[in-house]
Amino acid sequence: MIQSMTGFGRGTAGKGSSKVIALIKAVNGRFLDIKIRGVDINPADEKNIRDIISEKLTRGTIHVNLEFEENGKTQSLSFNKDRFEAIEKILLKVQKEYGRHLNLGDIVNANDLFTYSDPDSIDSNQLAKAVDKACSEVIQMRKTEGGKLKIDFESRLSKLERILSQLEKELPEEFSKREKRFRARISELLNGTPVDENRLAQEIAMIAEKSDVTEETVRLKSHFQQFNSMLTIDDSAGRRLNFLVQEMGREINTIGSKSYSEKVVNHVITLKDEAEKIREQIQNIL
């Protein structure tokens, strides 16, 4: 089943007076971007955390906040004085040499200057377990939201299929009306002069060929079927669904460019509107 890219999870690990807490918030993102804040951990633990998240969450902007609770109290913050002074020194140098004033807040945030100390007291296994549990909760929330989006997609696809079916039924009658208008206009212009029926038939055939949308409707139906099939797969489908809805848009636009009646144009407008709503929602899909 498809998953949303948004989700929240909380994981805890540890016994007795020491406990590790991992809070993970996942939001939309084209790629996987992991931002870790909170407890100051060693590089090996950070790499392990990133590996766990990369394997489980795969895509999106992932905000990770780590806390270490000891003796029932969350560890106190410490101010990274050296980092702050180094950044201030660079900003002053930029202002002096280039005449440009840069704000500290545009470069770093509070979490970059305030950290939890004593990373050696944190058990690596507990840290990994807490992150793993938080990821599992994120995935569950993603699946729940994905189920709701799936229902919405299926509803909109059904509507697209109904509109396309109605459009196909109306096309012969609409073309017949167009042919009658064309013949009437030719007769009016010729003002009683005999009409070459063979030549007229050729012209009508050319108009019919130029306005034929059989290929477009066949491809559109195929896109609908593929889209429906992808809604049931377990793998990440967001990019493929996005590609499919773009292809739907192209076919609908082509049908619109070949339209010759108000009825057909109205159907095309509705098709485009529904496809656009699907496209917007796909941006939330993993």
Side-chain angles (χ1 to χ4, degrees):
M1 181 181 289
I2 60 170
Q3 295 182 31
S4 167
M5 258 193 286
T6 58
F8 176 80
R10 184 180 190 276
T12 62
K15 296 180 180 179
S17 60
S18 297
K19 186 181 296 183
V20 178
I21 303 169
L23 304 172
I24 297 180
K25 180 176 72 173
V27 295
N28 294 358
R30 291 184 62 190
F31 309 102
L32 180 65
D33 183 16
I34 304 171
K35 304 176 186 293
I36 301 176
R37 298 287 185 267
V39 176
D40 193 9
I41 57 178
N42 62 55
D45 284 337
E46 181 175 343
K47 181 182 183 303
N48 189 34
I49 287 172
R50 291 183 179 276
D51 289 343
I52 292 170
I53 293 172
S54 298
E55 180 182 352
K56 285 182 167 288
L57 302 185
T58 68
R59 187 179 166 210
T61 300
I62 313 298
H63 298 277
V64 184
N65 190 61
L66 303 174
E67 298 176 1
F68 178 57
E69 193 176 273
E70 193 170 27
N71 296 321
K73 295 181 179 180
T74 302
Q75 197 176 34
S76 59
L77 285 170
S78 62
F79 177 60
N80 194 325
K81 181 174 177 289
D82 292 337
R83 182 181 295 178
F84 174 77
E85 291 179 352
I87 295 172
E88 278 283 280
K89 186 177 179 180
I90 292 172
L91 294 179
L92 289 172
K93 186 177 180 179
V94 169
Q95 185 173 3
K96 182 179 179 181
E97 295 185 6
Y98 301 99
R100 296 288 301 277
H101 175 71
L102 300 177
N103 292 319
L104 181 66
D106 295 333
I107 301 172
V108 298
N109 59 39
N111 286 326
D112 294 318
L113 299 176
F114 294 89
T115 59
Y116 292 96
S117 58
D118 196 17
D120 293 334
S121 63
I122 302 173
D123 184 274
S124 298
N125 291 329
Q126 290 182 2
L127 185 61
K129 286 180 181 178
V131 171
D132 189 74
K133 288 179 181 178
C135 284
S136 296
E137 286 197 4
V138 171
I139 292 171
Q140 186 56 51
M141 187 174 287
R142 281 180 161 186
K143 288 180 177 179
T144 300
E145 183 65 23
K148 295 177 182 177
L149 290 172
K150 180 176 180 288
I151 292 171
D152 182 70
F153 287 144
E154 289 172 339
S155 174
R156 295 192 186 282
L157 279 173
S158 294
K159 186 174 181 180
L160 285 170
E161 289 169 342
R162 289 196 303 271
I163 295 168
L164 185 62
S165 177
Q166 185 63 31
L167 185 149
E168 287 183 292
K169 290 177 182 178
E170 293 175 359
L171 281 175
E173 182 181 350
E174 293 301 308
F175 184 78
S176 177
K177 291 179 182 178
R178 189 184 189 193
E179 180 183 351
K180 290 177 181 178
R181 289 196 297 270
F182 182 74
R183 287 180 175 276
R185 181 58 176 162
I186 293 296
S187 298
E188 181 183 337
L189 292 173
L190 292 176
N191 195 23
T193 304
V195 179
D196 185 340
E197 286 296 330
N198 288 331
R199 178 62 185 276
L200 186 58
Q202 289 176 359
E203 293 294 331
I204 292 173
M206 289 177 62
I207 293 172
E209 184 177 354
K210 289 180 180 179
S211 59
D212 182 63
V213 294
T214 302
E215 289 185 18
E216 289 77 11
T217 55
V218 168
R219 284 196 292 266
L220 204 48
K221 289 177 184 178
S222 174
H223 295 332
F224 292 162
Q225 292 173 354
Q226 292 179 66
F227 197 100
N228 256 323
S229 297
M230 285 187 186
L231 293 179
T232 61
I233 66 174
D234 293 328
D235 197 13
S236 176
R239 290 188 174 94
R240 284 173 285 179
L241 290 173
N242 190 53
F243 171 77
L244 270 178
V245 81
Q246 287 178 357
E247 292 301 304
M248 289 181 200
R250 290 191 181 95
E251 303 302 342
I252 293 169
N253 285 334
T254 303
I255 293 173
S257 67
K258 294 181 176 182
S259 299
Y260 44 79
S261 78
E262 185 177 347
K263 268 190 177 183
V264 175
V265 169
N266 287 336
H267 287 318
V268 168
I269 291 172
T270 307
L271 286 170
K272 290 178 71 172
D273 183 53
E274 289 300 315
E276 178 59 23
K277 289 175 182 176
I278 291 176
R279 190 196 66 78
E280 290 174 357
Q281 287 284 42
I282 285 175
Q283 309 313 310
N284 300 317
I285 296 296
L286 182 64

